[in-house]
PDB file of all heavy atoms in Angstrom:
ATOM      1  N   ASP B  24      -9.312 -40.630 -35.660  1.00 92.00           N
ATOM      2  CA  ASP B  24      -8.960 -40.012 -34.361  1.00 92.00           C
ATOM      3  C   ASP B  24     -10.197 -39.918 -33.490  1.00 92.00           C
ATOM      4  O   ASP B  24     -11.323 -40.112 -33.964  1.00 92.00           O
ATOM      5  CB  ASP B  24      -8.350 -38.622 -34.596  1.00 92.00           C
ATOM      6  CG  ASP B  24      -7.293 -38.274 -33.545  1.00 92.00           C
ATOM      7  OD1 ASP B  24      -7.367 -38.849 -32.451  1.00 92.00           O
ATOM      8  OD2 ASP B  24      -6.416 -37.469 -33.827  1.00 92.00           O
ATOM      9  N   ALA B  25      -9.983 -39.633 -32.220  1.00 94.00           N
ATOM     10  CA  ALA B  25     -11.089 -39.386 -31.291  1.00 94.00           C
ATOM     11  C   ALA B  25     -10.892 -38.015 -30.690  1.00 94.00           C
ATOM     12  O   ALA B  25      -9.770 -37.653 -30.319  1.00 94.00           O
ATOM     13  CB  ALA B  25     -11.077 -40.454 -30.178  1.00 94.00           C
ATOM     14  N   ARG B  26     -11.945 -37.231 -30.677  1.00 95.00           N
ATOM     15  CA  ARG B  26     -11.851 -35.832 -30.181  1.00 95.00           C
ATOM     16  C   ARG B  26     -12.447 -35.763 -28.757  1.00 95.00           C
ATOM     17  O   ARG B  26     -13.544 -36.271 -28.505  1.00 95.00           O
ATOM     18  CB  ARG B  26     -12.576 -34.899 -31.119  1.00 95.00           C
ATOM     19  CG  ARG B  26     -12.533 -33.441 -30.693  1.00 95.00           C
ATOM     20  CD  ARG B  26     -12.799 -32.500 -31.835  1.00 95.00           C
ATOM     21  NE  ARG B  26     -11.749 -32.633 -32.840  1.00 95.00           N
ATOM     22  CZ  ARG B  26     -11.780 -32.028 -34.030  1.00 95.00           C
ATOM     23  NH1 ARG B  26     -12.784 -31.274 -34.354  1.00 95.00           N
ATOM     24  NH2 ARG B  26     -10.795 -32.204 -34.900  1.00 95.00           N
ATOM     25  N   PHE B  27     -11.730 -35.081 -27.889  1.00 95.00           N
ATOM     26  CA  PHE B  27     -12.175 -34.898 -26.506  1.00 95.00           C
ATOM     27  C   PHE B  27     -12.260 -33.430 -26.204  1.00 95.00           C
ATOM     28  O   PHE B  27     -11.549 -32.622 -26.816  1.00 95.00           O
ATOM     29  CB  PHE B  27     -11.170 -35.573 -25.529  1.00 95.00           C
ATOM     30  CG  PHE B  27     -11.091 -37.056 -25.684  1.00 95.00           C
ATOM     31  CD1 PHE B  27     -10.195 -37.632 -26.574  1.00 95.00           C
ATOM     32  CD2 PHE B  27     -11.920 -37.886 -24.951  1.00 95.00           C
ATOM     33  CE1 PHE B  27     -10.098 -39.008 -26.727  1.00 95.00           C
ATOM     34  CE2 PHE B  27     -11.854 -39.258 -25.094  1.00 95.00           C
ATOM     35  CZ  PHE B  27     -10.944 -39.832 -25.995  1.00 95.00           C
ATOM     36  N   ALA B  28     -13.097 -33.063 -25.242  1.00 95.00           N
ATOM     37  CA  ALA B  28     -13.182 -31.670 -24.815  1.00 95.00           C
ATOM     38  C   ALA B  28     -13.139 -31.637 -23.278  1.00 95.00           C
ATOM     39  O   ALA B  28     -13.726 -32.464 -22.603  1.00 95.00           O
ATOM     40  CB  ALA B  28     -14.471 -31.034 -25.294  1.00 95.00           C
ATOM     41  N   LEU B  29     -12.381 -30.646 -22.778  1.00 92.00           N
ATOM     42  CA  LEU B  29     -12.267 -30.474 -21.333  1.00 92.00           C
ATOM     43  C   LEU B  29     -13.205 -29.316 -20.953  1.00 92.00           C
ATOM     44  O   LEU B  29     -12.769 -28.201 -20.740  1.00 92.00           O
ATOM     45  CB  LEU B  29     -10.822 -30.132 -20.931  1.00 92.00           C
ATOM     46  CG  LEU B  29      -9.860 -31.305 -20.739  1.00 92.00           C
ATOM     47  CD1 LEU B  29      -9.627 -32.034 -22.062  1.00 92.00           C
ATOM     48  CD2 LEU B  29      -8.535 -30.853 -20.207  1.00 92.00           C
ATOM     49  N   ASP B  30     -14.475 -29.576 -20.926  1.00 88.00           N
ATOM     50  CA  ASP B  30     -15.459 -28.504 -20.718  1.00 88.00           C
ATOM     51  C   ASP B  30     -16.406 -28.776 -19.578  1.00 88.00           C
ATOM     52  O   ASP B  30     -17.412 -28.084 -19.446  1.00 88.00           O
ATOM     53  CB  ASP B  30     -16.188 -28.185 -22.004  1.00 88.00           C
ATOM     54  CG  ASP B  30     -16.893 -29.392 -22.570  1.00 88.00           C
ATOM     55  OD1 ASP B  30     -16.830 -30.456 -21.967  1.00 88.00           O
ATOM     56  OD2 ASP B  30     -17.508 -29.253 -23.638  1.00 88.00           O
ATOM     57  N   SER B  31     -16.107 -29.772 -18.752  1.00 81.00           N
ATOM     58  CA  SER B  31     -16.993 -29.990 -17.584  1.00 81.00           C
ATOM     59  C   SER B  31     -16.378 -29.283 -16.369  1.00 81.00           C
ATOM     60  O   SER B  31     -15.316 -28.694 -16.467  1.00 81.00           O
ATOM     61  CB  SER B  31     -17.157 -31.476 -17.346  1.00 81.00           C
ATOM     62  OG  SER B  31     -15.895 -32.053 -17.101  1.00 81.00           O
ATOM     63  N   ALA B  32     -17.051 -29.389 -15.225  1.00 77.00           N
ATOM     64  CA  ALA B  32     -16.536 -28.736 -14.045  1.00 77.00           C
ATOM     65  C   ALA B  32     -15.212 -29.355 -13.660  1.00 77.00           C
ATOM     66  O   ALA B  32     -15.056 -30.573 -13.752  1.00 77.00           O
ATOM     67  CB  ALA B  32     -17.541 -28.911 -12.895  1.00 77.00           C
ATOM     68  N   PRO B  33     -14.204 -28.559 -13.264  1.00 75.00           N
ATOM     69  CA  PRO B  33     -12.894 -29.126 -12.936  1.00 75.00           C
ATOM     70  C   PRO B  33     -13.016 -30.066 -11.742  1.00 75.00           C
ATOM     71  O   PRO B  33     -13.791 -29.849 -10.838  1.00 75.00           O
ATOM     72  CB  PRO B  33     -12.051 -27.917 -12.561  1.00 75.00           C
ATOM     73  CG  PRO B  33     -12.800 -26.724 -12.969  1.00 75.00           C
ATOM     74  CD  PRO B  33     -14.234 -27.093 -13.118  1.00 75.00           C
ATOM     75  N   THR B  34     -12.222 -31.137 -11.815  1.00 74.00           N
ATOM     76  CA  THR B  34     -12.202 -32.067 -10.663  1.00 74.00           C
ATOM     77  C   THR B  34     -10.986 -31.673  -9.801  1.00 74.00           C
ATOM     78  O   THR B  34     -10.951 -30.562  -9.318  1.00 74.00           O
ATOM     79  CB  THR B  34     -12.134 -33.533 -11.143  1.00 74.00           C
ATOM     80  OG1 THR B  34     -11.073 -33.647 -12.090  1.00 74.00           O
ATOM     81  CG2 THR B  34     -13.457 -33.925 -11.801  1.00 74.00           C
ATOM     82  N   GLN B  35     -10.014 -32.540  -9.720  1.00 75.00           N
ATOM     83  CA  GLN B  35      -8.886 -32.230  -8.825  1.00 75.00           C
ATOM     84  C   GLN B  35      -7.932 -31.220  -9.504  1.00 75.00           C
ATOM     85  O   GLN B  35      -7.602 -30.195  -8.948  1.00 75.00           O
ATOM     86  CB  GLN B  35      -8.154 -33.504  -8.471  1.00 75.00           C
ATOM     87  CG  GLN B  35      -7.376 -33.406  -7.201  1.00 75.00           C
ATOM     88  CD  GLN B  35      -6.860 -34.778  -6.779  1.00 75.00           C
ATOM     89  OE1 GLN B  35      -7.257 -35.780  -7.332  1.00 75.00           O
ATOM     90  NE2 GLN B  35      -5.959 -34.798  -5.843  1.00 75.00           N
ATOM     91  N   LEU B  36      -7.466 -31.556 -10.700  1.00 83.00           N
ATOM     92  CA  LEU B  36      -6.497 -30.706 -11.376  1.00 83.00           C
ATOM     93  C   LEU B  36      -7.031 -30.195 -12.719  1.00 83.00           C
ATOM     94  O   LEU B  36      -6.948 -29.007 -13.019  1.00 83.00           O
ATOM     95  CB  LEU B  36      -5.195 -31.492 -11.610  1.00 83.00           C
ATOM     96  CG  LEU B  36      -4.411 -31.852 -10.324  1.00 83.00           C
ATOM     97  CD1 LEU B  36      -3.356 -32.892 -10.634  1.00 83.00           C
ATOM     98  CD2 LEU B  36      -3.788 -30.631  -9.731  1.00 83.00           C
TER      99      LEU B  36
END
Side-chain angles (χ1 to χ4, degrees):
Chain B
D24 212 334
R26 180 159 296 173
F27 296 89
L29 277 65
D30 56 1
S31 58
T34 51
Q35 203 171 348
L36 293 166

